[in-house]
Amino acid sequence: MDECDRSIKKSLAAQDPLVQELVRDEVEHGVLIPLKTTLELRDDYQTGRVLITRTPTKSANAAIMFLRDLLPDEIIKGVPHLRRCAMPSDLPAHLKAQFMNESPQSRQIHTGKSNWIYIIVGPENMLNRDEVTRALSTVEGMEEEVFLRSIPVPMVSPTSQVQAAMWTQHFWPSLYRKNNPLGPHPSMIARQTDEIADDAALWMAMAHQVARQSQDAGYGEPMGACIIQRGENNKITVVALAADARYCHQGKVGCAGNPMAHSAMRAISIVAQKLVRAENRKTQTTQAPIMEFEAFQDSPILEDERKVFDLDHPNPDGYLCHGLEMYLTHEPCVMCSMAILHSRMGKVAFRHRMPLTGGLCAEDRGVEHPSLNGADGGRGLGLFWRRELNWSMIAWEWESGGCLKPLNVDMAVHA
């Protein structure tokens, strides 16, 4: 038995008896790959133009203070990821060559130990060149001719030290401030990945098992979902287990079946049923079903689902799925992705990407996928982390270590 086997068996042994009973397959650790946001994929190299000037080193402070008095704060702070000042030797090679060959004075500035320094004035589209030129002409050493040039620079902060170094070589000396303006902070991703890495395979295994059971029973596509709560001291409670049931009680009517019975929607609805059940116990009331046909299919249809359904919700006073974790066999569709978001789920991991219909990945949908015959689903939505939405979470793609067999479905199906 190798170290990986011992680790997963140790994780399983630490779970409650029901989990040990439900995880019947051989399980191996997988690899968690954090999803990229839409901004990370599309705005990595969004550039704009800034004005730069140069001044004798002895006059640099005077020039900077003068600019601060002249320009609004938003202009001064418009590009905080770029060094405000740079020595001629620190400029990228193409800027050195360009400025060095403009005049004999410029060649002298870039030869040997320079007594001049370059300064970023601010974003070009926020400045009036004539006003800036007149203002700088009053600074000592710049009276005769004000140097003012426009250069392209990245308008967003680098997301890594490597990217900062690359931008320093190609644009202007850049700073990595250990943050990510385009998505979750790298330290947050690392911390949350470490939190779930040891046992993610267990919940994936449970989702896979009910997915196969549902397919064998003819209830739905081979898709499943498992929701857990990770409490203090890493105590884990399984809150919901749900398979896809889109064909249950109605057969394969049309090609889509019942969209409200996707595995993610059923799992969230089962959590809601548990909260309702807890509230009814408090108030000693019983609510009779109000619909002859239950669209959400939020009652258990499989024995494994029932065993989890019978357990009480570990936090009956919380809001729906706030802070819970969801593990899915397939990337949820747009409808399910938004339901996950609105339920305030804390973390989401899935195994199989749905390149045409998925709602979590930010990559363009369906493009060049061999099984989709040229179908184009447009730009990826990356719904797990969008600035314009009022909730965000970390999401991963989980690659199996090899024990869990793939659950193949039509890539055009909505999961």
Side-chain angles (χ1 to χ4, degrees), residues 6-191:
R6 285 194 296 270
S7 173
I8 196 67
K9 290 184 182 299
K10 182 179 178 181
S11 295
L12 180 57
Q15 307 305 323
D16 63 42
L18 179 59
V19 174
Q20 297 180 38
E21 175 190 342
L22 291 177
V23 178
R24 305 182 187 93
D25 292 340
E26 286 293 322
V27 181
E28 288 181 2
H29 282 301
V31 178
L32 289 161
I33 305 170
L35 297 190
K36 293 286 189 180
T37 69
T38 54
L39 293 175
E40 286 175 317
L41 290 177
R42 290 166 202 156
D43 285 355
D44 248 4
Y45 297 99
Q46 178 185 348
T47 60
R49 302 191 75 85
V50 297
L51 293 181
I52 63 171
T53 188
R54 69 185 176 206
T55 177
T57 306
K58 64 180 182 180
S59 302
N61 285 337
I64 291 172
M65 295 305 295
F66 200 88
L67 289 172
R68 283 178 178 168
D69 293 338
L70 174 70
L71 305 173
D73 284 346
E74 58 267 24
I75 294 181
I76 297 297
K77 299 175 181 178
V79 281
H81 55 287
L82 303 177
R83 292 191 181 277
R84 187 73 193 276
C85 302
M87 298 299 293
S89 59
D90 296 330
L91 296 185
H94 69 284
L95 290 183
K96 287 181 190 176
Q98 175 185 335
F99 300 154
M100 191 173 181
N101 294 316
E102 286 185 349
S103 68
Q105 182 194 19
S106 291
R107 190 170 297 108
Q108 186 177 5
I109 288 172
H110 286 267
T111 303
K113 186 176 180 181
S114 179
N115 294 319
W116 287 73
I117 193 168
Y118 286 88
I119 302 173
I120 288 183
V121 178
E124 183 178 19
N125 62 353
M126 302 175 71
L127 297 167
N128 183 300
R129 274 176 170 263
D130 292 337
E131 288 183 5
V132 172
T133 301
R134 282 196 300 270
L136 290 175
S137 65
T138 63
V139 176
E140 182 183 357
M142 302 178 70
E143 301 93 344
E144 295 183 6
E145 181 183 0
V146 173
F147 176 93
L148 201 61
R149 300 290 184 273
S150 171
I151 64 169
V153 294
M155 298 307 290
V156 293
S157 301
T159 58
S160 68
Q161 190 64 54
V162 172
Q163 191 173 55
M166 182 181 70
W167 287 357
T168 296
Q169 291 180 348
H170 291 88
F171 297 103
W172 182 267
S174 303
L175 298 168
Y176 173 54
R177 300 185 182 277
K178 295 186 177 180
N179 64 356
N180 182 8
L182 309 179
H185 194 284
S187 65
M188 179 193 298
I189 296 175
R191 183 176 66 253

